[in-house]
Each structure stands twice: as structure tokens, then as C-alpha cells.
Amino acid sequence: MAGGAQPRTVSRSVGIGGGRGRGKRLSKKESVKQVVALGRSLLRGSAARQIVPLAALAVAHTALTHFTALTQGELFRTVILGDRPAFVRHLARNLVLCIGAALLQSTKTLAEGALALGWRSALTRRSHRAFFTGTVYYRLGQLDRRIENAGELIAGDVPLFTTELSTMLVETCSATTDAAFFLHQMRKTGGTQSVLAIFGYVVVAGTVVFGLSPNLARMHGRTRELESRYHALHARLRQWCEAVAFAAGEVVEATHLKRAFQAVAAHTGSVLFRMWWYRVIFDFFVKYIATTFSVYLILGPFIMGTRGHKSNDSLARKAATFGRARYHTDVIIHAFGGVGSLAGVLNRLGQLGGYAQRITQLLDVTTELADAEAAELATTAKARTTDDGRGIGFEALTVETPTGAVLVKDLTLRVQPGVNLLVTGPNGSGKSSLFRVLGGLWQPKTGRVIKPAGAGGDADSGANMGLASDIFYVPQRPYVSVGTLRDQITYPHVNSALELPEESLRQLLARVELDHLVDQAAGGAGLDAVLDWSEVLSLGEQQRLG
């Protein structure tokens, strides 16, 4: 039995959720919690395996920084003393440390990339698992309004989120070891009061900056939403470019794209302005005031008293004082940098909140739709589907759209094998909806569907509630998959699983008068040719191939 009309999209209908693509607005604290929750799910079960190498690299980085600071302090001392052999020796040591630093930095970058790739793979598999459960992808694209452009979320937001999160984790590990070690060194040279001074300043400055910062999660989330919508319009125009060209609709399409881009540009301009004054506050407290405070902590002890040199000190003591001052400078800078980076984690988590909210919403919605479909198969579909093995039919069937509009009411119909039936009616009368119900995409409001269970399962068991192998649906606009000519014939099955020989495939093509494709349209590669079949084949050929 074939359907004569292409099923119309019902994406405008009201789904389970609210407005399409616009999630609940979260506060900065809620965004941080959502990032932490998503990050914990990525670390679950393999936290030690992922964190231990990063911690080892962070310790190595701190040790290398410490030895570099000591070596450069010695370089200052030897310059003042005029000790040329010692200067050359320390300069050579500094060169070796630079080589080690280059290797360590490249290793950190490699570890960071590997971590991001692993997280992206895990999050993508998790997204696909629910997305391709049953017909969730169909429900999400046609029946539910909560997610707009799920593909952009999986292919765009997921890699951006995992890359930023891995970068933050690597830098946080380095900042933790730097802060712990160099604060300990500061306590030995400058006393506990110096450590408390840094902590006090960072806490106060961090609180002020976090309190005055805009909702970065909301801004970045809205940016991704508008960018996704703009990209989707371009993809839609590419898909329907021939129809648009026939209708001379380029002005209308250009207007849609212009409006979408104007929304992106307006929001981006707003973000730039809001980030401008945020950067003013951030730079003032974190960079410039912090630098002045660091200068006091570094030079104060040498100017004010005990750690400076006396005018009658020997040259060796003066050189040692300058060497210690150079090392002390590095200690305070790295201690300040480490503590400051840790204090800025909240702001960085807030920036990731926009991605986390969209990804979490996708995971929640797809899981909910998968559970709802499973419940339908176990209850409604099983109760309203009968297998008698003698054709298809409907008994007292009532079909409604997802919005509740009745399309078909109390329909009773039987079609026996070998009988042709033409279904006619005005647009919107429910012709295509009958095939959606027959295919299990929609569930009837009342009544019963009669159809063969097919090779894949038993209708009364709730399994294989689709069109089944005994019924095939030929849409008005056929679908051509990605892959070889062989893949087009066997879709949706995997050819290796069917184990069909080449001769059988050629015979199938000959039955629909498409055997010439093997030698002509396939470019000499036969059944294994990979082409854009939607462009190579006419609509009629695509229907016969399907």
C-alpha cells in the first residue's frame, strides 16, 4: 500500500514543552550548578584515570617554574658579581629548563585535547543513544517544540563545551599546585601575613567581580541559539534551492536570512558592550590593582627593612639580595596567579553555563521522549494494534493531531492483499495521518489498527509497531541515504547483515528499470560508488530506488 502525499510537518503544534528552543532562564548560580552536574557526569567512573595525569603534569609544571625562578635569580646574582663562568653555567641550565618547558607545554596541550575528545565522544554517544531510540528523532523534529535544531546542539555546542571545560580543568590543576607551592614559599620568606594578604585580596576582588559580572551563561546561550537558527536557515535554503529558484523566491529568502543575521548582530553588539564594562571591572581589580598590590608585597620588605641590603654590605651580599628579590618576585606572581585563577573558576563556569543548559535540556527532552515512546509501545500501541495476517485495516479509528484537532473520526476500513485503494480528500483532511498511524509514528485516539506484524516481531507483544516488513510506504518525496548505490538498495538494513550477492542486487534494480545505474550513474565503481544520489537521481528514480 502506498501513500500518495508527503506527510506534512507538525512542528508548529504544541508539544510536551513550552516555547521552541527557549529554555528556562537560569541565574548565575544555577548555571554554575548545571555545569558542575554535567561535568561530574563526564567524570563518573573514570575520574581517577582522567585527573591523575593532569595532576602529574600540574606538579611538573610547578616544579619547572620553581627551578626556572631559582635559576634566573642566580643569573641576576652572577651578573652583579661579574662571575662569567657561573653566568654561563646558569644560562645553560636555563636553556635546558626552557626545552623542558616547551615539552611540558606541548604535553599539556595534548592531554587537554585528548580529554576534550574523550568527553565529546562520551557526550555525543549519550546524546545519540536517546536521540535514536525508536522514533525520538522524528518526535523531536516534528512533534515537540522544546528543542530547536538538535543537530546543531550535538555537532556545535557539545564540542565547544567539552573543549572549554577541558581547558578550564587543566588550568585549574596547574593553578592549584602553583597556589599551594608558592604560597608555602611565600610563608617561608614573607610570613603568614603575606599569604593572608593575598587570600584576602583575591576573595574581596573575586566577590566584587562575580557580583558585578553579567549573566555570562545566558548571553552565550542566547548567542548559540541565534547562531543555530541562522545556520539552519542557510541549510534549509540549500535543501530547497531548486523550489525557491522556480518560484523566484530569492527576495523572501534573503529577507529571512537578513532578519536572522540582524538578530545575531544585534545580540552580539549587546554582548560586546556588556563585556566591555565587565572587562573594565575585571582588569581593574584582577590586573592593575593586583599588580600594584604585588609590587608592594615584592619590594616592600626590601625597601622597608630587614630583607634589603645595607650601604656598607659587601658586593656578594648585595648580589645575593638581588637574586632573592628576583626569586621572590616570581614566587609572588605565581602565587597571585594561582589563587586568582582559582577564584575566577566561578566566572569561567558561568561562561560555560549557556552550553550546559542547552545540552542538559537536549538530554532531558530526548530521554523523556524515549520513555514516553516506550510506554506507548507497552500500553497504547499494544492495545490498539492487531495482527490477523490477512491485510490492513482500521476499526472505529479516531485520529487527532498533537494539538488535539480531530482529522479522522470512527473510521472502519479493511484492505485485503492484492486490492488497490485510492484515498482522496482535501488538504488537511487526514490522508497522510492515516499512514502515520499505520506506521506507528502517531497513536490513534480511539479504535484499533489491523496490520501484519512482519518479520521483526509480534504486534500483540508490543514489538515492531512500525509499518513492518510486509508493508512499505512510498512517500511523495523519497529519502536517499548517504553511502553507496548498494546502501540505497538495502536501506535501512546493513548490506553485510543481509548478505545479498551482487547479482541479486542487480536483479532488484532491473525490476524497477534502474539497472543502468550500475554502469552509468555510478561512475564505473558499480554498486560501491559513493555519490550524492539526491542530485544524481530524479525524484521518480529516487522513488523507484526507495
Side-chain angles (χ1 to χ4, degrees), residues 49 178 281 391 496:
R49 180 165 52 85
D178 280 356
I281 297 172
S496 59

mmCIF file of all heavy atoms in Angstrom, residues 49 178 281 391 496:
data_model
loop_
_atom_site.group_PDB
_atom_site.id
_atom_site.type_symbol
_atom_site.label_atom_id
_atom_site.label_comp_id
_atom_site.label_asym_id
_atom_site.label_seq_id
_atom_site.Cartn_x
_atom_site.Cartn_y
_atom_site.Cartn_z
ATOM 1 N N ARG A 49 41.343 8.068 36.531
ATOM 2 C CA ARG A 49 42.092 7.855 35.286
ATOM 3 C C ARG A 49 42.275 9.153 34.510
ATOM 4 O O ARG A 49 43.275 9.317 33.806
ATOM 5 C CB ARG A 49 41.354 6.822 34.441
ATOM 6 C CG ARG A 49 42.022 6.510 33.123
ATOM 7 C CD ARG A 49 41.454 5.228 32.514
ATOM 8 N NE ARG A 49 40.002 5.280 32.440
ATOM 9 C CZ ARG A 49 39.328 5.843 31.441
ATOM 10 N NH1 ARG A 49 39.992 6.432 30.468
ATOM 11 N NH2 ARG A 49 38.019 5.826 31.418
ATOM 12 N N ASP A 178 50.306 25.499 41.714
ATOM 13 C CA ASP A 178 51.052 26.758 41.820
ATOM 14 C C ASP A 178 50.701 27.486 43.106
ATOM 15 O O ASP A 178 51.591 27.950 43.841
ATOM 16 C CB ASP A 178 50.746 27.655 40.623
ATOM 17 C CG ASP A 178 51.529 27.270 39.377
ATOM 18 O OD1 ASP A 178 52.364 26.352 39.475
ATOM 19 O OD2 ASP A 178 51.286 27.868 38.316
ATOM 20 N N ILE A 281 35.891 46.350 34.823
ATOM 21 C CA ILE A 281 35.880 45.956 36.230
ATOM 22 C C ILE A 281 36.876 44.840 36.487
ATOM 23 O O ILE A 281 37.658 44.869 37.450
ATOM 24 C CB ILE A 281 34.460 45.519 36.643
ATOM 25 C CG1 ILE A 281 33.490 46.701 36.517
ATOM 26 C CG2 ILE A 281 34.443 44.962 38.060
ATOM 27 C CD1 ILE A 281 32.048 46.318 36.709
ATOM 28 N N GLY A 391 -4.036 -8.697 5.871
ATOM 29 C CA GLY A 391 -4.172 -7.377 5.280
ATOM 30 C C GLY A 391 -4.089 -6.298 6.334
ATOM 31 O O GLY A 391 -3.612 -6.501 7.459
ATOM 32 N N SER A 496 25.841 -5.965 4.758
ATOM 33 C CA SER A 496 26.584 -7.125 5.245
ATOM 34 C C SER A 496 25.701 -8.046 6.062
ATOM 35 O O SER A 496 25.900 -9.259 6.091
ATOM 36 C CB SER A 496 27.781 -6.659 6.081
ATOM 37 O OG SER A 496 27.338 -5.873 7.170
#
